[in-house]
Amino acid sequence: MSPEPNRTLSPTDTDWWRNAVFYQIYIRSFADGNGDGVGDLAGIRSRLPHLADLGVDALWITPFYPSPMADHGYDVADPRDVEPVFGDLAEFDALLAEAHALGIRVTVDLVPNHSSHDHEWFQAALAAGPGSPERARYLFRDGRGPDGSEPPNNWPSVFGGPAWTRVPDGQWYLHIFAPEQPDLNFGNPEVVADLEETMRFWLDRGVDGFRIDVAHGMAKPDGLPDMVPMDDTGLLDDHGPGDHRFDQDGVHVVHRRIRAVIDEYPGTMAVGEVWVSDDERLAQYLREDELQLAFNFKLLTAEWTPDGLRDAITHSLAAVEGTPAPACWVLSNHDRPRHVTRYGGGALGTRRARAAALLQLALPGAAYLYNGDELGMPDVDLPDHVLQDPMWFRSGGTERGRDACRIPVPWSGTEPSYGFSSGADTWLPMPDGWASLTAEAQRTEDGSMLSLYRAALELRASSPVFAGESVQWLQAPDGCVAFRRPGGLVCLVNLSGAPVPVPEGRVLLGSAPVDDGTVPDDTAVWLHA
Ligand code: NOJ
C-alpha cells in the first residue's frame, strides 16, 4: 500500500489537539526496521501507511534518546540526540517529514523529572563531590543517623525500595524511580534552562508537541520532609496529599516555563502525565498558562461497571470544567495492563474492549490510543526469565512489572515475530497463536477490531454529530450508560447482562451487530438522534 495523505496540516489550525486522536508508539514494541528485535524509528516510518489508514491525527513516540535502558528509555542520558538502537537524527527528521506529508502530527516524550545516571551532569556530580555546583543540579543530601548511614528521609521509590542511594563519599541522592534515574533539582535555574533548550531543540526540528513524563513530579518540598508511610510497591498509586514526592505547588512554576516555550511555537502543545486524582488539584495543571492537556486516567482505572464508567466520565469532565482544556481519554498505555485483559481477557475482554473503544471515541476532547489497541492486543503472561522491567528486579520479584503490556505489535504472517522484525527473536517474546491478531489479517475482515477502529475514526473525523464539548446524560435501561453530544451523537453502552432495545435514532456504528433492534450485552452503539 502506498501512503496517501488523508489530510493536510493547516498552520492556522492551532487548536488541532483539542479533539485529536493521538496514537502512542512504544518505540521498542511498534516495528523493527533493522532486524535486531527492537522497534525503532525506521520501523515507525515503514508503518506510517497503517497509521494514515487507521486515521489517527498525531503520534506520541516514547523516548528514543540515548539511554542505558534501565527503564527502557525513561532514563535519558542525552535528551537532544537519538539512541543508536532506535536510529539517528536524520532518521527522525525523515520520519517527521513523512508523517507530516501524510497529515499526521508528531509529538515526543519529554522526561524532565530525572536524567539517567549516565547523563554527563550526573557523572560530573559524582566526580565533583559534596557541596559542588555539579551536585546542586540533583538532590544530594547527607544521610541520617550518627554516621549518616540512614537515608535522608523515608520516601520510597515508585519501583520499590528506598528512593535514595548512597554514593562512595557518603552522601545520598534522590531517585523517585530507579537508582539509574536520579531526580533533577528544579530549584536550580540551570535545570529549567536545560529543559527549555531540549524543548527548543525538538520544536526547531518541527515536532508538534510533547508528552510530559511525571508532570506532577519535578518540584520537591523544602527540607524534603518524611511522608506518610505508604505501600511502596505501586508504580501508579493514588498519590494523595501525604505523598510529598508528587503534586507539590512548586510544580506549577515549571509548567508555566514549559508553556511559555510552547507559546513561542504556535500550533504546538503539551500533554501531561499527571497522576493526581483530586479533580481540583488536576485542574490546576490546566490553567491557561500551563498544560493544554492532562491525561484523564480515570477511564483507564475504572471497573467495567455502569457506575465505574459514569464516575470516570463525570470526574474527568468535572476536572476540566472551568479550565481552557478539553478532557483527554486513555484506555491503555505502556504502564498498565491492557484493557482487553483488564476487562476479562479472551472473547469477553475483546467484546468489552470493542465497546470501550466506541465509548472512548464518543467522548468530547482528545483521545489517546496505545499501539495495538486497534488490534485488540491483550497482555501476555511472560515467564520470569524474560522479564525486563526494573519493577520486577527492584521489588525482589514480587511485582511482575509492565512487560506484559509491552509485547511487540503483530503485523503479518502466522508465527513470531509476525512481521514485527525480520527475524523470529524479539526483545520480549511474542506468543504462538497470534495469526488472527495481525494487522494484515484484520485489515480486510469486516468485523475485526481494526475495521471497527477505522470506521470509528473516520466517522469521528467527518461527521458533524461529534460537535460540542459537553455531555448530556440520557435516561437508559438499568445497567446501561448513555449520553448525547450537542451535535447529535448518542452513545449507549450496555453492561446490563442482557440485550436492551436500540435507542431511537439512526444507527451509525455498533461494536457488535444491532440489526435485530437490540444492543447485546457488553456492546456500544453510536446513533444520530
Ligand atoms: C512514567 C512512564 O510512563 C513510565 O514508563 C516510567 O517508568 C516513569 N514515568 C519514569 O520515567
Side-chain angles (χ1 to χ4, degrees):
M1 196 187 348
S2 71
E4 283 293 325
N6 56 357
R7 290 171 300 282
T8 45
L9 296 177
S10 158
T12 55
D13 184 12
T14 51
D15 274 359
W16 59 270
W17 42 269
R18 288 194 79 82
N19 57 4
V21 177
F22 289 81
Y23 185 95
Q24 177 191 355
I25 292 184
Y26 189 70
I27 187 164
R28 294 183 77 78
S29 301
F30 183 65
D32 173 18
N34 67 358
D36 64 359
V38 179
D40 49 32
L41 295 171
I44 302 176
R45 281 177 77 186
S46 75
R47 296 296 178 186
L48 285 174
H50 169 85
L51 298 168
D53 185 52
L54 177 60
V56 298
D57 301 297
L59 310 181
W60 151 30
I61 308 175
T62 59
F64 49 83
Y65 318 117
S67 164
M69 301 289 159
D71 188 17
H72 289 320
Y74 282 99
D75 47 322
V76 181
D78 178 356
R80 299 187 281 275
D81 203 349
V82 173
E83 163 64 34
V85 86
F86 298 134
D88 55 25
L89 281 170
E91 188 83 51
F92 178 79
D93 292 341
L95 164 60
L96 190 59
E98 287 169 12
H100 281 170
L102 288 167
I104 300 174
R105 291 181 162 92
V106 177
T107 69
V108 299
D109 230 304
L110 199 63
V111 188
N113 180 69
H114 44 265
S115 75
S116 160
H117 66 151
D118 275 4
H119 191 291
E120 62 175 327
W121 274 8
F122 192 69
Q123 290 304 316
L126 289 180
S132 60
E134 287 84 354
R135 283 212 174 170
R137 294 170 178 145
Y138 292 90
L139 292 154
F140 279 85
R141 294 289 184 276
D142 293 330
R144 295 202 284 208
D147 53 358
S149 64
E150 298 291 323
N153 69 23
N154 72 350
W155 296 5
S157 148
V158 167
F159 290 155
W164 294 93
T165 289
R166 199 170 194 195
V167 300
D169 59 41
Q171 276 209 310
W172 298 74
Y173 68 89
L174 179 71
H175 52 85
I176 298 294
F177 294 90
E180 295 88 350
Q181 293 166 296
D183 277 51
L184 285 154
N185 172 14
F186 271 84
N188 182 335
E190 238 191 306
V191 170
V192 183
D194 189 68
L195 175 64
E196 293 174 343
E197 189 177 333
T198 298
M199 292 179 69
R200 291 204 174 86
F201 178 86
W202 294 106
L203 290 165
D204 287 339
R205 294 195 104 81
V207 305
D208 301 286
F210 301 99
R211 175 267 190 187
I212 301 190
D213 190 61
V214 202
H216 57 319
M218 299 183 276
K220 310 293 185 302
D222 287 344
L224 304 177
D226 278 345
M227 58 186 266
V228 176
M230 62 178 283
D231 171 8
D232 69 355
T233 55
L235 168 65
L236 301 166
D237 273 319
D238 183 9
H239 307 299
D243 185 345
H244 300 321
R245 300 170 302 173
F246 300 105
D247 194 29
Q248 299 298 304
D249 289 338
V251 76
H252 298 287
V253 177
V254 183
H255 283 298
R256 289 191 191 105
R257 297 290 293 266
I258 290 174
R259 181 57 179 270
V261 177
I262 291 284
D263 284 347
E264 291 169 21
Y265 295 79
T268 66
M269 52 77 66
V271 59
E273 183 209 24
V274 187
W275 280 96
V276 170
S277 59
D278 181 83
D279 296 343
E280 283 170 25
R281 298 286 304 178
L282 182 60
Q284 294 189 0
Y285 290 78
L286 295 167
R287 290 178 284 206
E288 63 183 352
D289 54 354
E290 300 196 37
L291 291 165
Q292 284 111 319
L293 294 174
F295 291 131
N296 296 121
F297 288 124
K298 293 215 159 68
L299 210 51
L300 178 147
T301 50
E303 297 286 321
W304 185 252
T305 62
D307 287 348
L309 297 180
R310 240 189 318 261
D311 265 20
I313 296 169
T314 307
H315 279 284
S316 301
L317 294 174
V320 296
E321 207 182 310
T323 78
C328 177
W329 308 97
V330 184
L331 280 174
S332 282
N333 65 25
H334 65 293
D335 289 329
R336 284 289 173 124
R338 286 179 173 275
H339 54 282
V340 166
T341 301
R342 291 201 314 271
Y343 297 154
L348 176 73
T350 301
R351 196 163 74 235
R352 291 176 171 174
R354 293 173 65 89
L358 292 199
L359 174 66
Q360 179 191 21
L361 294 168
L363 288 163
Y368 273 78
L369 313 183
Y370 175 40
N371 58 205
D373 281 1
E374 80 279 24
L375 304 178
M377 281 179 74
D379 278 14
V380 174
D381 281 332
L382 294 167
D384 292 2
H385 71 273
V386 303
L387 295 180
Q388 306 205 15
D389 190 344
M391 265 182 133
W392 167 247
F393 301 106
R394 294 276 299 162
S395 69
T398 56
E399 292 286 316
R400 297 193 73 71
R402 303 158 294 177
D403 294 317
C405 68
R406 297 175 174 180
I407 306 300
V409 170
W411 290 100
S412 59
T414 54
E415 53 195 45
S417 65
Y418 303 99
F420 168 78
S421 180
S422 53
D425 290 339
T426 47
W427 75 280
L428 287 172
M430 299 177 74
D432 291 329
W434 269 14
S436 59
L437 211 61
T438 66
E440 181 186 55
Q442 295 196 39
R443 189 162 295 126
T444 49
E445 191 199 323
D446 270 355
S448 71
M449 186 74 89
L450 181 55
S451 300
L452 178 72
Y453 268 91
R454 277 156 81 196
L457 264 54
E458 194 178 336
L459 269 170
R460 188 179 149 113
S462 58
S463 171
V465 300
F466 290 83
E469 286 193 357
S470 61
V471 153
Q472 178 199 352
W473 293 108
L474 300 177
Q475 289 283 350
D478 276 356
C480 293
V481 175
F483 58 86
R484 187 176 188 282
R485 298 269 302 271
L489 175 73
V490 166
C491 176
L492 176 137
V493 190
N494 178 9
L495 304 93
S496 71
V500 299
V502 174
E504 271 186 30
R506 182 168 62 86
V507 173
L508 301 172
L509 190 61
S511 65
V514 296
D515 322 330
D516 67 351
T518 65
V519 183
D521 186 28
D522 288 328
T523 296
V525 63
W526 285 358
L527 305 106
H528 181 193

